[in-house]
Amino acid sequence: MATCRNWRRLGYEFLYTFLFFSSPQNIQRVCHLMDCNKNLGHWTRRLHVTRYFAGSASTIETTQNSLVSIIRHCNKLETFVVNWPLSVSLSAVANALCTYTPRSLRVLHINIPTAALAKLIFMLQCLHKLEAVHVEFDGPPPEHIRLGAAGDLELTLPVLRHLSLRGPFQDFVEQAIDWHLPALRILSLDFINYREDFPDLLEFLTEHGGELTILDLNCIPPLDVPAILDLCPLLTTFTFNPDWRIPGWENHQLSESPLVRSPHSHVTTIGLHHLMYAFGVGYAASYNKIDPFVTQSIRRQNDINFAALHRRNFPRLARI
């Protein structure tokens, strides 16, 4: 940047288009530069803050104020990614995004406390231009989440195509059933290790699954795959856990799996999660010595689901 004045003037556009921070100190340095030169944020299209060590000398309040100040300068921001949990900072960051980037922001990737669902809903209400949203909910779900006025909102996100959720997001899905999501095409749900208090996924897909082309379901408890496939007739990619016990599997042979009720004509790609008991190796081999009945039962379910992945059930199947 110190080569000459012309290069300095032209180089700023490339230097500030993508801001990536891995330490709070760098957030404060860039904040100071933008406060001194108001035009620098004009070039920024992507802002990414990755995780950093908690032993940093910067306080959360200082880092929060610096990040909010940077957002204030970036009025053409299109992508906002923060990988560290936004706990006490969520309100300030959400207000900044809703105030300065409601017309430009297209991609939102954040990590928030599970109990902060109401703040998330109010933030999404202001960001109508979002095309992709990834939310990771941090911490165990409380027995009751206070939503207040947020619980009565029926959001409309007219251009949202990709929705990705991770963690205990049950209450989010229950709220989103009544939202208007006409452009939703990709849905990814990662329940991690949570096994209880599942949302009514079938009701959600009844409202929003008709136009989905990609559905990624990662959870341990079984879901009703035949009903899910019926509710999503346009799917081209479907990912599930083949260890699931599909309803009615006890009465089927390996060649007659109940995985589908009728052939699904659009699926070309099937993804498989977990597979911890598959093929009799790894976890299955070690756990077989402890509880062979459970191991053999899950392997049986796994074999039945594998056997259903053929062209009769999925005429356009190309890859697994």
Side-chain angles (χ1 to χ4, degrees):
M1 298 302 296
T3 302
C4 66
R5 292 181 178 178
N6 286 335
W7 172 244
R8 181 182 180 88
R9 177 173 56 84
L10 296 173
Y12 271 137
E13 177 178 353
F14 303 99
L15 189 63
Y16 285 89
T17 298
F18 180 7
L19 299 181
F20 178 84
F21 299 107
S22 58
S23 72
Q25 288 81 5
N26 289 337
I27 297 178
Q28 295 168 34
R29 293 189 185 102
V30 172
C31 175
H32 175 71
L33 292 173
M34 287 189 170
D35 287 341
C36 295
N37 187 341
K38 306 295 184 180
N39 296 322
L40 296 181
H42 174 76
W43 305 112
T44 304
R45 299 295 182 269
R46 179 183 174 98
L47 175 57
H48 188 159
V49 183
T50 189
R51 288 182 177 270
Y52 58 83
F53 293 105
S56 169
S58 301
T59 65
I60 295 180
E61 183 179 1
T62 302
T63 303
Q64 165 193 298
N65 293 337
S66 299
L67 181 59
V68 168
S69 181
I70 290 176
I71 295 174
R72 177 169 56 86
H73 292 295
C74 303
N75 59 351
K76 293 187 177 182
L77 189 66
E78 296 177 356
T79 301
F80 182 75
V81 180
V82 176
N83 295 123
W84 50 269
L86 290 172
S87 52
V88 297
S89 305
L90 178 59
S91 295
V93 171
N95 288 336
L97 291 174
C98 293
T99 301
Y100 300 105
T101 67
R103 297 183 179 180
S104 63
L105 197 64
R106 298 292 184 271
V107 178
L108 178 67
H109 182 125
I110 56 175
N111 182 317
I112 68 171
T114 305
L117 177 59
K119 296 179 181 179
L120 174 64
I121 293 176
F122 284 126
M123 178 169 62
L124 295 178
Q125 183 187 28
C126 300
L127 303 175
H128 298 288
K129 301 296 184 180
L130 286 173
E131 298 176 3
V133 173
H134 172 83
V135 183
E136 183 166 351
F137 292 88
D138 185 53
E143 293 184 3
H144 178 68
I145 296 180
R146 289 188 174 184
L147 295 178
D152 298 326
L153 294 179
E154 295 184 8
L155 300 190
T156 297
L157 298 172
V159 295
L160 181 66
R161 291 184 53 84
H162 187 174
L163 176 61
S164 175
L165 305 173
R166 188 172 190 269
F169 50 78
Q170 296 89 331
D171 291 275
F172 180 96
V173 171
E174 295 288 351
Q175 291 296 313
I177 290 175
D178 297 325
W179 296 354
H180 188 49
L181 309 173
L184 188 64
R185 299 295 181 271
I186 303 174
L187 178 64
S188 176
L189 303 178
D190 184 356
F191 292 83
I192 315 180
N193 294 322
Y194 292 98
R195 300 169 180 258
E196 300 178 353
D197 191 26
F198 265 44
D200 192 342
L201 184 59
L202 292 181
E203 185 177 356
F204 180 89
L205 293 177
T206 299
E207 297 296 329
H208 307 297
E211 300 294 327
L212 288 180
T213 57
I214 298 176
L215 178 60
D216 181 3
L217 301 175
N218 186 6
C219 67
I220 297 175
L223 299 175
D224 191 345
V225 174
I228 290 173
L229 292 176
D230 287 345
L231 292 173
C232 306
L234 300 183
L235 283 184
T236 59
T237 298
F238 177 59
T239 302
F240 72 108
N241 180 356
D243 293 336
W244 289 344
R245 178 182 296 190
I246 307 301
W249 73 278
E250 299 90 344
N251 302 322
H252 288 74
Q253 301 297 322
L254 288 180
S255 59
E256 302 175 345
S257 170
L259 191 65
V260 297
R261 294 170 179 165
S262 60
H264 197 292
S265 59
H266 289 88
V267 171
T268 60
T269 303
I270 289 184
L272 304 175
H273 287 295
H274 295 281
L275 297 175
M276 292 184 293
Y277 290 89
F279 316 118
V281 297
Y283 187 76
S286 60
Y287 198 75
N288 188 52
K289 301 176 182 178
I290 303 174
D291 195 336
F293 176 78
V294 172
T295 301
Q296 294 302 321
S297 176
I298 296 179
R299 283 191 59 191
R300 169 67 175 174
Q301 299 161 26
N302 192 281
D303 290 342
I304 290 177
N305 290 329
F306 256 105
L309 305 181
H310 50 64
R311 292 290 182 86
R312 291 196 302 275
N313 288 335
F314 304 98
R316 299 184 61 186
L317 185 63
R319 61 192 68 83
I320 299 176

